[in-house]
Coordinates of all heavy atoms in Angstrom, one line a residue:
L2 N 98.5 20.2 87.0 CA 98.7 21.3 86.1 C 97.9 22.6 86.6 O 98.4 23.7 86.5 CB 98.4 21.0 84.7 CG 99.4 20.0 84.0 CD1 98.8 19.6 82.6 CD2 100.8 20.6 83.9
A3 N 96.7 22.4 87.0 CA 95.9 23.4 87.5 C 96.5 24.0 88.7 O 96.5 25.3 88.9 CB 94.4 23.0 87.7
Y4 N 97.0 23.2 89.6 CA 97.6 23.6 90.8 C 98.9 24.5 90.5 O 99.1 25.5 91.1 CB 98.0 22.5 91.7 CG 98.8 22.8 93.0 CD1 98.2 23.5 94.0 CD2 100.2 22.5 93.0 CE1 98.9 23.8 95.2 CE2 100.9 22.9 94.1 CZ 100.3 23.5 95.2 OH 101.0 23.9 96.3
R5 N 99.7 24.0 89.6 CA 100.9 24.7 89.2 C 100.5 26.1 88.6 O 101.2 27.1 89.0 CB 101.7 23.9 88.1 CG 102.4 22.7 88.7 CD 103.6 23.1 89.5 NE 104.6 23.9 88.7 CZ 105.5 23.4 87.9 NH1 105.7 22.1 87.9 NH2 106.3 24.2 87.3
A6 N 99.5 26.1 87.8 CA 99.0 27.4 87.2 C 98.5 28.3 88.3 O 98.8 29.5 88.3 CB 98.0 27.1 86.2
W7 N 97.8 27.8 89.3 CA 97.3 28.6 90.4 C 98.4 29.2 91.2 O 98.4 30.3 91.6 CB 96.4 27.8 91.3 CG 95.9 28.5 92.5 CD1 94.9 29.4 92.5 CD2 96.4 28.4 93.8 NE1 94.8 29.9 93.9 CE2 95.7 29.2 94.6 CE3 97.4 27.6 94.3 CZ2 96.0 29.4 96.0 CZ3 97.7 27.7 95.7 CH2 97.0 28.6 96.5
R8 N 99.4 28.3 91.5 CA 100.6 28.8 92.3 C 101.3 29.9 91.5 O 101.7 30.9 92.1 CB 101.5 27.6 92.5 CG 101.1 26.6 93.6 CD 101.2 27.2 95.0 NE 102.6 27.7 95.3 CZ 103.5 26.9 95.8 NH1 103.2 25.6 96.2 NH2 104.7 27.3 96.1
S9 N 101.5 29.7 90.2 CA 102.2 30.7 89.4 C 101.4 32.0 89.4 O 102.0 33.1 89.5 CB 102.4 30.1 88.0 OG 103.0 31.1 87.2
Q10 N 100.1 31.9 89.2 CA 99.2 33.1 89.1 C 99.2 33.8 90.5 O 99.3 35.0 90.6 CB 97.9 32.7 88.7 CG 96.9 33.9 88.5 CD 95.6 33.5 88.0 OE1 95.1 32.4 88.4 NE2 94.9 34.3 87.2
S11 N 99.1 33.0 91.6 CA 99.1 33.6 92.9 C 100.5 34.3 93.2 O 100.5 35.4 93.8 CB 98.9 32.5 94.0 OG 97.6 31.9 93.8
G12 N 101.6 33.7 92.8 CA 102.9 34.4 93.0 C 102.9 35.7 92.2 O 103.5 36.7 92.7
E13 N 102.4 35.7 91.0 CA 102.5 36.9 90.1 C 101.6 38.0 90.8 O 102.0 39.1 90.8 CB 102.0 36.6 88.7 CG 102.0 37.7 87.8 CD 103.4 38.2 87.4 OE1 104.4 37.5 87.7 OE2 103.5 39.3 86.9
I14 N 100.4 37.6 91.3 CA 99.5 38.5 91.9 C 100.2 39.1 93.1 O 100.1 40.4 93.4 CB 98.2 37.8 92.3 CG1 97.4 37.5 91.1 CG2 97.4 38.8 93.2 CD1 96.1 36.7 91.3
R15 N 100.9 38.3 94.0 CA 101.6 38.8 95.1 C 102.7 39.7 94.7 O 102.9 40.8 95.4 CB 102.1 37.6 96.0 CG 101.1 36.9 96.8 CD 101.7 36.0 97.9 NE 102.6 35.0 97.3 CZ 102.2 33.9 96.9 NH1 100.9 33.5 97.1 NH2 103.0 33.0 96.4
R16 N 103.4 39.4 93.7 CA 104.5 40.2 93.2 C 104.0 41.6 92.8 O 104.6 42.6 93.1 CB 105.3 39.6 92.1 CG 106.5 40.3 91.6 CD 107.1 39.7 90.4 NE 106.3 39.7 89.3 CZ 106.2 40.8 88.5 NH1 106.9 41.9 88.8 NH2 105.4 40.8 87.4
L17 N 102.9 41.6 92.0 CA 102.4 42.9 91.5 C 101.8 43.7 92.7 O 102.0 44.9 92.7 CB 101.2 42.6 90.5 CG 101.7 42.0 89.2 CD1 100.5 41.6 88.3 CD2 102.6 43.0 88.4
R18 N 101.2 43.0 93.6 CA 100.7 43.7 94.8 C 101.8 44.3 95.6 O 101.7 45.5 96.0 CB 99.9 42.7 95.7 CG 99.3 43.4 96.9 CD 98.8 42.4 97.9 NE 99.9 41.6 98.4 CZ 99.8 40.4 99.1 NH1 98.6 39.9 99.3 NH2 100.9 39.7 99.4
D19 N 102.9 43.6 95.8 CA 104.0 44.1 96.6 C 104.7 45.3 95.8 O 105.1 46.3 96.5 CB 105.1 43.0 96.8 CG 104.6 41.9 97.7 OD1 103.6 42.1 98.5 OD2 105.2 40.8 97.8
E20 N 104.7 45.2 94.5 CA 105.3 46.3 93.7 C 104.5 47.5 93.9 O 105.0 48.7 94.1 CB 105.4 45.9 92.3 CG 106.6 45.0 92.0 CD 106.6 44.6 90.5 OE1 105.8 45.1 89.7 OE2 107.6 43.9 90.1
R21 N 103.1 47.4 93.8 CA 102.2 48.5 94.0 C 102.4 49.1 95.4 O 102.3 50.4 95.6 CB 100.8 48.1 93.7 CG 100.5 47.9 92.2 CD 99.0 47.9 92.0 NE 98.3 46.8 92.7 CZ 98.1 45.6 92.1 NH1 98.5 45.4 90.8 NH2 97.6 44.6 92.7
L22 N 102.5 48.3 96.4 CA 102.6 48.8 97.8 C 103.9 49.6 97.9 O 104.0 50.6 98.6 CB 102.6 47.6 98.8 CG 101.2 47.0 99.0 CD1 101.3 45.8 99.9 CD2 100.2 48.0 99.6
Q23 N 105.0 49.0 97.3 CA 106.3 49.7 97.4 C 106.2 51.0 96.7 O 106.8 52.0 97.1 CB 107.4 48.8 96.8 CG 108.8 49.4 96.9 CD 109.8 48.5 96.4 OE1 109.6 47.3 96.0 NE2 111.1 48.9 96.3
E24 N 105.6 51.1 95.5 CA 105.5 52.3 94.7 C 104.7 53.3 95.5 O 105.0 54.5 95.6 CB 104.8 52.1 93.4 CG 105.7 51.3 92.4 CD 105.0 51.0 91.1 OE1 103.8 51.3 91.0 OE2 105.6 50.4 90.2
A25 N 103.6 52.9 96.2 CA 102.8 53.8 97.0 C 103.6 54.3 98.1 O 103.5 55.5 98.5 CB 101.5 53.0 97.4
E26 N 104.4 53.5 98.8 CA 105.2 53.9 99.9 C 106.2 54.9 99.5 O 106.5 55.9 100.1 CB 105.9 52.7 100.6 CG 106.6 53.0 101.8 CD 105.7 53.4 103.0 OE1 104.5 53.4 102.9 OE2 106.3 53.8 104.1
E27 N 106.8 54.7 98.3 CA 107.8 55.6 97.8 C 107.2 56.9 97.5 O 107.8 58.0 97.7 CB 108.5 55.0 96.6 CG 109.5 53.9 96.9 CD 110.0 53.2 95.6 OE1 109.6 53.6 94.5 OE2 110.9 52.3 95.8
Q28 N 106.0 56.9 96.9 CA 105.3 58.1 96.6 C 104.9 58.9 97.8 O 105.0 60.1 97.9 CB 104.1 57.9 95.7 CG 104.4 57.4 94.3 CD 103.1 57.0 93.5 OE1 102.0 57.1 94.1 NE2 103.3 56.5 92.3
R29 N 104.6 58.1 98.9 CA 104.2 58.7 100.2 C 105.4 59.6 100.7 O 105.2 60.6 101.3 CB 103.8 57.6 101.1 CG 103.5 58.1 102.5 CD 102.9 56.9 103.3 NE 102.7 57.3 104.7 CZ 103.4 56.9 105.7 NH1 104.4 56.1 105.5 NH2 103.2 57.2 107.0
W30 N 106.6 59.0 100.6 CA 107.8 59.7 101.1 C 108.4 60.7 100.1 O 109.3 61.4 100.5 CB 108.8 58.7 101.6 CG 108.4 57.9 102.8 CD1 107.5 56.9 102.9 CD2 109.0 58.1 104.1 NE1 107.4 56.5 104.2 CE2 108.3 57.1 105.0 CE3 110.0 58.9 104.6 CZ2 108.6 57.0 106.3 CZ3 110.2 58.8 106.0 CH2 109.6 57.9 106.8
A31 N 108.1 60.6 98.9 CA 108.8 61.3 97.8 C 108.9 62.8 98.1 O 110.0 63.4 98.0 CB 108.2 61.1 96.4
Q32 N 107.8 63.5 98.3 CA 107.9 64.9 98.5 C 108.6 65.3 99.8 O 109.5 66.2 99.8 CB 106.5 65.5 98.5 CG 106.5 67.1 98.6 CD 105.2 67.8 98.8 OE1 104.2 67.1 99.0 NE2 105.2 69.1 98.7
A33 N 108.3 64.6 100.9 CA 108.9 64.9 102.2 C 110.4 64.8 102.2 O 111.1 65.5 102.8 CB 108.3 64.0 103.3
R34 N 110.9 63.8 101.4 CA 112.4 63.6 101.3 C 113.1 64.8 100.6 O 114.3 64.9 100.7 CB 112.7 62.4 100.5 CG 112.4 61.1 101.4 CD 112.9 59.8 100.6 NE 112.7 58.7 101.5 CZ 112.2 57.5 101.1 NH1 111.7 57.4 99.9 NH2 112.1 56.5 101.9
R35 N 112.3 65.7 100.0 CA 112.9 66.8 99.3 C 112.8 68.1 100.2 O 112.9 69.2 99.6 CB 112.3 67.0 97.9 CG 112.6 65.8 97.0 CD 112.0 66.0 95.6 NE 112.7 67.1 94.9 CZ 113.9 67.1 94.3 NH1 114.5 65.9 94.3 NH2 114.4 68.1 93.7
V36 N 112.4 67.9 101.4 CA 112.4 69.0 102.4 C 113.5 68.8 103.4 O 113.7 67.7 103.9 CB 111.0 69.1 103.1 CG1 111.0 70.2 104.1 CG2 109.9 69.3 102.1
Y37 N 114.2 69.9 103.7 CA 115.3 69.8 104.7 C 115.4 71.1 105.5 O 114.9 72.2 105.1 CB 116.6 69.4 104.0 CG 117.2 70.4 103.0 CD1 118.1 71.3 103.4 CD2 116.7 70.4 101.7 CE1 118.6 72.2 102.5 CE2 117.2 71.3 100.8 CZ 118.2 72.2 101.2 OH 118.7 73.1 100.3
I38 N 116.1 71.0 106.6 CA 116.4 72.1 107.4 C 117.9 72.2 107.7 O 118.6 71.3 107.9 CB 115.6 71.9 108.8 CG1 116.0 73.1 109.8 CG2 115.9 70.6 109.4 CD1 115.2 73.0 111.1
D39 N 118.4 73.5 107.6 CA 119.8 73.7 108.0 C 119.8 74.8 109.0 O 118.8 75.6 109.2 CB 120.7 74.0 106.8 CG 120.3 75.2 106.0 OD1 119.7 76.1 106.6 OD2 120.6 75.2 104.8
I40 N 120.9 74.9 109.7 CA 121.0 75.9 110.8 C 122.3 76.7 110.7 O 123.3 76.2 110.2 CB 121.0 75.2 112.2 CG1 122.1 74.1 112.3 CG2 119.6 74.5 112.4 CD1 122.1 73.5 113.7
D41 N 122.2 77.9 111.2 CA 123.4 78.8 111.3 C 123.5 79.2 112.8 O 122.5 79.8 113.3 CB 123.2 80.0 110.4 CG 124.4 80.9 110.4 OD1 125.6 80.4 110.4 OD2 124.3 82.1 110.4
V42 N 124.6 79.0 113.4 CA 124.8 79.2 114.8 C 125.6 80.5 115.0 O 126.7 80.6 114.4 CB 125.5 78.0 115.5 CG1 125.6 78.3 117.0 CG2 124.7 76.7 115.2
F43 N 125.1 81.4 115.8 CA 125.8 82.6 116.2 C 126.1 82.4 117.7 O 125.2 82.4 118.6 CB 125.0 83.8 115.9 CG 125.7 85.1 116.4 CD1 126.8 85.6 115.8 CD2 125.2 85.8 117.5 CE1 127.4 86.8 116.2 CE2 125.8 86.9 118.0 CZ 126.9 87.4 117.3
H44 N 127.4 82.4 118.1 CA 127.8 82.1 119.5 C 127.7 83.3 120.4 O 127.9 83.1 121.6 CB 129.2 81.4 119.5 CG 129.2 80.1 118.9 ND1 128.9 78.9 119.7 CD2 129.5 79.6 117.7 CE1 129.0 77.9 118.9 NE2 129.3 78.2 117.7
G45 N 127.4 84.4 119.9 CA 127.2 85.6 120.7 C 128.5 86.4 120.9 O 129.6 85.9 120.6
T46 N 128.3 87.7 121.2 CA 129.4 88.6 121.5 C 129.1 89.3 122.8 O 128.3 90.2 122.8 CB 129.5 89.7 120.4 OG1 128.3 90.4 120.2 CG2 130.0 89.0 119.1
R47 N 129.7 88.7 123.8 CA 129.4 89.2 125.2 C 130.6 89.7 125.9 O 131.7 89.1 125.8 CB 128.7 88.1 126.0 CG 127.2 87.9 125.6 CD 126.7 86.8 126.5 NE 125.2 86.6 126.2 CZ 124.6 85.5 126.5 NH1 125.2 84.4 126.9 NH2 123.3 85.4 126.2

């Protein structure tokens, strides 16, 4: 029973850690994803 409880607790800790890492990664990219570049091309009059 102690082993089962440890496995369950370890799984929950890993899940929470993975969620925190994913949230941190999303926050890391969040602002940059709202920046963009567009272009206007003028082919010239020669």
Side-chain angles (χ1 to χ4, degrees):
L2 291 174
Y4 173 74
R5 287 286 302 272
W7 175 79
R8 284 288 301 272
S9 176
Q10 186 178 30
S11 297
E13 182 67 13
I14 290 173
R15 282 196 301 272
R16 185 184 67 81
L17 292 174
R18 182 194 61 195
D19 292 344
E20 285 182 357
R21 285 196 295 268
L22 288 174
Q23 184 177 356
E24 288 175 1
E26 185 68 7
E27 289 175 355
Q28 290 174 1
R29 176 174 175 252
W30 287 74
Q32 183 186 12
R34 284 185 175 132
R35 297 182 65 81
V36 176
Y37 62 98
I38 175 175
D39 61 28
I40 58 175
D41 183 39
V42 180
F43 176 71
H44 290 275
T46 54
R47 284 180 175 156

